[in-house]
Amino acid sequence: MASARLFFAADFQDLQGRAPAEVKERGSFVALSEDEGKSWRFKKLPGTLPHENPKNLGGATTLGYSAARQAPNGMIHLITTMNNPCLHLEFNEAWILSATTPIRAQATRSGCAPTRLGSLPLRRPR
């Protein structure tokens, strides 16, 4: 990331729907680390969709094979696959770090049109 933080996006569960005992969430998340991965700030992603094969993930939503990139304006673009339609989610680091409850995203039926999840002013660490 432009801030030098590490970014991570994943599902809470594996393909069979299993998760570590301490993980109570289902679905997908994004996370940032300010200490080279020693600790992470997680945010559950709203609006993700189930796997295209309903038998996978125990019915939970997924990012599938995903790709992410931060644009010059600081917005992070996350593209999902293995769901229909694929999703293009857009948010910034400040949204991930904020305490706000994730808003509900709207999936588009026309393909990977961006869904803006959150954009807050980014305060750079001093």
Side-chain angles (χ1 to χ4, degrees):
M1 300 282 96
S3 66
R5 293 180 179 108
L6 295 178
F7 173 80
F8 186 67
D11 297 331
F12 287 109
Q13 63 287 321
D14 68 10
L15 193 60
Q16 288 75 39
R18 300 173 302 209
E22 64 273 8
V23 175
K24 304 301 180 205
E25 293 283 350
R26 307 280 293 156
S28 306
F29 66 90
V30 290
L32 289 172
S33 174
E34 297 186 40
D35 56 10
E36 296 295 320
K38 293 177 187 152
S39 63
W40 294 87
R41 297 270 308 266
F42 290 82
K43 181 160 263 185
K44 185 171 181 173
L45 284 171
T48 53
L49 297 173
H51 194 279
E52 62 188 10
N53 180 345
K55 294 177 184 175
N56 289 341
L57 300 165
T61 63
T62 186
L63 296 179
Y65 300 108
S66 59
R69 173 132 196 228
Q70 188 173 38
N73 68 355
M75 295 303 288
I76 300 165
H77 298 266
L78 177 63
I79 308 295
T80 72
T81 64
M82 302 306 290
N83 40 37
N84 188 16
C86 63
L87 298 176
H88 173 181
L89 306 173
E90 183 180 42
F91 46 87
N92 64 11
E93 292 180 61
W95 178 78
I96 298 170
L97 297 171
S98 73
T100 60
T101 303
I103 59 172
R104 189 84 189 136
Q106 298 296 318
T108 63
R109 297 292 166 203
S110 61
C112 290
T115 297
R116 179 164 283 184
L117 295 179
S119 179
L120 298 171
L122 182 61
R123 295 187 187 138
R124 302 226 182 258
R126 296 176 193 216

